[in-house]
Amino acid sequence: MVALPESVDTGAFCPARERYAAGVREETDMSLKSPKAFFAPLAVGAPQPLREIPARPSRAIHFFDPSNPKMVDKIPQMVGTVDVLLGNLEDAVKADKKIDARNGLIEIAKNTDFGPTQLWTRINSLDSPWVLDDLNELIPAIGQKLDVVMVPKVQGPEDIHYIDRILAQLEAKAGITKPILVHAILETARGVAEVEAIALASPRMQGISLGPADLAADRKMKTTRVGGGHPGYLVRQDAPKGADGTADIHAARAIFQQDLWHYTIAKMVDACAAAGIYPYYGPFGDITDVVACEDQFRNAFLLGCVGTWSLHPKQIEIANRVFSPSVEDIKHARRVVAAMGDGTGAVMLDGKMEDDASLKQCLVLVKLAEELAAIDPALKATYDAIEVD
Ligand SMILES: CC(C)(COP(=O)(O)OP(=O)(O)OC[C@H]1O[C@@H](n2cnc3c(N)ncnc32)[C@H](O)[C@@H]1OP(=O)(O)O)[C@@H](O)C(=O)NCCC(=O)NCCSC(=O)C[C@H](O)C(=O)O
Ligand SMILES: [Mg+2]
């Protein structure tokens, strides 16, 4: 039993202090060196870290500015139509609105029943004058309702360790019973180089999103956009031979625009999959080009991402559709599952060989469809109506 020092204020009830006073020290491990210590709470009285990140649907992480009354008005009616509502405190919120945004988020969180919709926030960057107050004020006020804290401009695992410890201290002080998860944005060159270490930095790590705009600036790419492609990043078809046998470089040739983000998304997906956490595409800034937005989202879905950001209400429907397996995919997946019986061996289906590896891919889709159907009644009805021939 450890007695509290005389100097400690024993006024208001504080669960962490009570536990500390009772000598509950063995639950934490300050060394952080052994694999066992990885799952120890980082502050006495903080909730036990999760051993597995729950697979909660998060097709669209919808950004809103809690200092913008027009956006705030729309939040209650968005509950249930989007998987994640994210109160953004960082970029896109004007400097003189930072405090309003933080207070606005606290108000919305307190006064809204989020039902099946998750509540996330994006805090200010770790080098900003606002981040410490963001955490100090949000966690005691609404920590029990916050599912995930998104951390921008993460450079390496040390940034996650820093947030991890502060969250544990604040959770303990506020008596929060479920651990708040952490999501990193991949938007610095060093962050990309360290993505595997970031993904493994804490049991709180829920996932990682691509931040193409800041990443482009940090890498000194020569683009001026928020995500999406670029017409100059292309491959051109070979020139046909001219009459003199040399290449006719002026002949009409097909050009194929390439994906600027393929390498980074693939690297992020591998890091997340290896760590058991979830990868996301980020923002698509051309709000009017819903077609290219859908293409970018679909590329990310096919590569392994589970969701994306939506910046405008019109992007929510696109994300929900693209990040839900199609009827055709589920129909095919169920046929393969049925045809593969106990899952071993190989069979022919429509002229194609199916084996345990293609079965496993099909099971990824079937499992995702089940998870989405559990929270989306319209999608459930669609999937239930599928008839497998
Ligand atoms: C992009 C916007 C600035 C567009 O806003 P606006 O011009 O007002 O659009 P509309 O007139 O079409 O809006 C119609 C109504 O819908 C409301 N609205 C708009 N956006 C939202 C929203 N996100 N959530 C809720 N409601 C919204 C408008 O207020 C209109 O209402 P009304 O007048 O009553 O009909 C704007 O959409 C916006 O600011 N979006 C969020 C931008 C954002 O969060 N950016 C930060 C994320 S991207 C980033 O940070 C980059 C990344 O980190 C990286 O590095 O890559
Ligand atoms: Mg950014």
Side-chain angles (χ1 to χ4, degrees), residues 349-365:
L349 213 56
D350 304 332
K352 297 193 181 88
M353 188 276 292
E354 306 288 350
D355 65 3
D356 71 322
S358 59
L359 171 66
K360 280 187 257 173
Q361 293 172 59
C362 291
L363 290 173
V364 168
L365 290 166

Side-chain angles (χ1 to χ4, degrees), residues 268-289:
M268 176 182 76
V269 167
D270 284 343
C272 289
I277 67 172
Y278 299 102
Y280 299 77
Y281 178 72
F284 191 88
D286 191 342
I287 308 288
T288 52
D289 192 348

